[in-house]
Amino acid sequence: MKILDQHYINGAWVKPAGADFRDVVNPATEEVSGKMVLGTSANVDAAVAAAKDAFETFSQTTREERLAILDRIIEEYKKRMPEMADVITLEMGAPAFLANKAHAPSGIGHLMTARKVLETFPFEEDNGPTRVAKEPIGVVGMITPWNWPINQIACKVAPAIATGCTMVLKPSEVAPYSCQLFTEIMEAADVPAGVYNVVYGEGPTVGEAISGHPDVDMVSVTGSTRMGAAVQANAAKTIKRVTQELGGKSANIILDDADFEEVVTRETLSVMRNTGQTCTALTRMLVPADRMDEAAAIAAKAAETVITGDPTSADTTMGPISNAQQFEKVGVLIEKGLAEGARAVAGGPGRPDGIDKGFFVRPTVFADVTPEMTIAREEIFGPVLSIIGYKDEDEAVRIANDSPYGLSGAVQSADVDRARRVASKMRTGMVYINGAAGDLSAPFGGYKQSGNGREWGAHAFNDFLELKSVLGYHAAE
């Protein structure tokens, strides 16, 4: 049993007196795997005070000093990469292969990307006699989710360190073990005291205290759109910057010239990856209406190849939903899909055959989905694919854009120029053409209710920086 009974404040582990605890549940077994201390506003006050004091000196460090810190973090992370994969499997149910090949490496990937960007990032620009300086914004509050836990921690912490900011992090209460391990890595890397602080807890207490704190200069939050709106409203009282990476209901336009067997198979399996708990998951598959049955048959066949079960098994390709609340929500939405007339060609309600415990759901494919159905509009955040028919290319784009979200999208076509043209019409922050892989140096974020700001790579640095115009800087030269 893991006991997380201390916050990390000002370079030291702090055990609060008389604290309450929350159980951490293994989603594959529904058994308690540990306990996490619940922080209070007083703990946040202490962490913010430490970060504010540390900012005075850390904001003045040189590029070379911050590169050295990132180098030390990267080296310590490498030593504990297998352990990171193991705790992610335990806390949120990612299959072992995915934890080792994607989850754990994502953390070091963001650290290495930030380090590379920092080498040459222009912190000053000259415009005649005026110098425009890019300076660290200050104390950054960070609120991260459970679905890609270390990915979201690292993609915020790395650019903050690189730009000279200090921070207070609240990780997900559902998946705190990866944060605990990452904090041990930061401590071993000798990150200066007060630069990186962690307060465990829940959103209505710790999250609210961070977002509304007058000495927090910026909040970076990843989560649901509803949560992002609450954070922004609370932060508005102190006029601080808020960047948000929120929900999605991404459309995957499969054009009539695509290789359906290859593309539908690949894209169906991509939705099932991480048990569908990925904000960029392409959960709306748009196909020509007259090829609906063909696409449905291929997708159903692909879904049947998914092996659901014990996430520690090397054979498992899909683990459980990460928590009980989300498990219940996914089940309700699958039932609603059936009630509203969608045709389940794979999966459906209930746990997979042979599994009677754990937050497991069946990989589900719905055909004959219309754009008005709930499953076509709400983010399910589970392994559920909705196939929607369109009559022509223009209608496909209209359906794709008819969403309050705008995080990602995709186009599949044998004609790359055609795919590029369609991609240019999609109102999303990211578009994947023909199964393109992710890019840690590309800006990550969305339009509309999918948030604002951008993470990953050089573009992430700008959110952590303030602009200062120094007029007459070169006037005397």
Side-chain angles (χ1 to χ4, degrees):
M1 173 118 11
K2 293 181 178 291
I3 306 297
L4 278 57
D5 60 352
Q6 300 177 89
H7 306 300
Y8 187 73
I9 299 173
N10 204 27
W13 294 98
V14 179
K15 190 171 184 177
D20 292 329
F21 285 80
R22 173 190 171 112
D23 289 342
V24 180
V25 175
N26 181 337
T29 64
E30 298 185 55
E31 297 174 355
V32 174
S33 63
K35 294 183 179 295
M36 184 197 77
V37 65
L38 292 176
T40 64
S41 59
N43 302 138
V44 172
D45 288 343
V48 172
K52 184 178 179 181
D53 287 345
F55 181 74
E56 291 187 17
T57 53
F58 191 65
S59 62
Q60 301 303 308
T61 53
T62 65
R63 184 193 308 265
E64 289 69 29
E65 288 172 317
R66 298 196 297 278
L67 284 168
I69 291 171
L70 286 170
D71 283 338
R72 296 197 301 270
I73 298 169
I74 289 166
E75 287 308 306
E76 292 297 330
Y77 195 108
K78 287 178 180 177
K79 297 175 187 177
R80 306 192 73 174
M81 183 99 79
E83 188 179 352
M84 182 64 76
D86 288 345
V87 297
I88 289 171
T89 294
L90 175 63
E91 68 186 359
M92 57 77 63
F97 89 91
L98 188 66
N100 281 283
K101 298 297 184 182
H103 278 275
S106 70
I108 201 167
H110 288 300
L111 290 163
M112 295 176 71
T113 298
R115 192 214 180 279
K116 182 178 180 181
V117 172
L118 178 57
E119 289 180 349
T120 58
F121 188 83
F123 287 100
E124 299 90 19
E125 297 176 3
D126 290 332
N127 181 18
T130 299
R131 166 155 289 185
V132 179
K134 301 175 183 178
E135 300 181 343
I137 194 169
V139 177
V140 181
M142 300 175 176
I143 302 172
T144 59
W146 43 261
N147 60 318
W148 285 90
I150 198 60
N151 176 80
Q152 291 307 126
I153 289 172
C155 79
K156 297 179 191 301
V157 171
I161 293 281
T163 55
C165 295
T166 59
M167 63 215 79
V168 177
L169 167 65
K170 188 203 89 67
S172 168
E173 59 270 32
V174 171
Y177 300 150
S178 50
C179 179
Q180 178 81 4
L181 180 55
F182 185 75
T183 304
E184 293 172 9
I185 289 169
M186 298 289 275
E187 183 181 35
D190 292 324
V191 174
V195 170
Y196 169 86
N197 306 273
V198 173
V199 179
Y200 293 111
E202 298 176 327
T205 49
V206 174
E208 186 172 329
I210 288 173
S211 61
H213 202 289
D215 289 333
V216 170
D217 301 286
M218 168 186 166
V219 180
S220 175
V221 57
T222 300
S224 69
T225 296
R226 183 173 64 178
M227 185 183 82
V231 168
Q232 188 168 37
N234 195 41
K237 302 169 189 174
T238 48
I239 318 297
K240 57 172 58 74
R241 183 179 300 172
V242 179
T243 60
Q244 306 157 312
E245 197 273 285
L246 307 176
K249 190 67 180 176
S250 303
N252 192 350
I253 299 177
I254 301 181
L255 296 173
D256 54 11
D257 61 352
D259 182 332
F260 267 48
E261 186 69 36
E262 175 186 348
V263 168
V264 173
T265 299
R266 181 188 70 223
E267 299 302 313
T268 299
L269 293 176
S270 76
V271 170
M272 309 304 165
R273 185 172 183 254
N274 206 44
T275 321
Q277 299 167 123
T278 300
C279 54
T280 56
L282 300 163
T283 55
R284 290 188 294 153
M285 180 179 286
L286 277 54
V287 302
D290 60 1
R291 301 184 69 175
M292 172 65 70
D293 290 343
E294 177 188 0
I298 296 169
K301 182 180 177 182
E304 290 168 0
T305 68
V306 175
I307 301 173
T308 304
D310 179 2
T312 64
S313 169
D315 296 329
T316 297
T317 60
M318 194 177 87
I321 295 292
S322 296
N323 61 86
Q325 183 178 5
Q326 186 61 27
F327 173 68
E328 182 178 348
K329 176 188 173 184
V330 172
V332 167
L333 286 169
I334 290 174
E335 293 280 9
K336 186 164 285 191
L338 293 171
E340 293 182 358
R343 175 166 55 106
V345 296
R351 292 181 174 89
D353 293 341
I355 298 178
D356 58 7
K357 186 170 63 174
F359 305 135
F360 293 94
V361 298
R362 302 166 70 189
T364 298
V365 177
F366 282 110
D368 300 328
V369 178
T370 63
E372 298 77 24
M373 289 181 181
T374 303
I375 58 172
R377 304 204 66 79
E378 290 191 16
E379 184 178 37
I380 299 173
F381 225 58
V384 181
L385 174 66
S386 297
I387 307 179
I388 302 169
Y390 65 84
K391 65 181 179 182
D392 56 32
E393 186 179 297
D394 288 340
E395 184 179 52
V397 172
R398 284 196 298 273
I399 293 171
N401 288 337
D402 181 22
S403 171
Y405 301 108
L407 185 57
S408 71
V411 186
Q412 320 291 333
S413 175
D415 183 342
V416 176
D417 286 337
R418 185 184 181 193
R420 290 170 180 155
R421 184 182 70 247
V422 172
S424 71
K425 299 176 182 178
M426 298 181 76
R427 296 280 297 161
T428 61
M430 297 167 282
V431 183
Y432 298 84
I433 290 178
N434 291 335
D439 180 354
L440 292 182
S441 65
F444 186 101
Y447 293 10
K448 300 185 280 186
Q449 292 184 31
S450 289
N452 53 56
R454 292 295 182 269
E455 296 184 321
W456 301 17
H459 293 271
F461 280 38
N462 292 319
D463 284 339
F464 292 88
L465 296 168
E466 289 280 23
L467 296 178
K468 176 187 285 181
S469 297
V470 185
L471 292 82
Y473 187 91
H474 296 292
E477 296 182 3

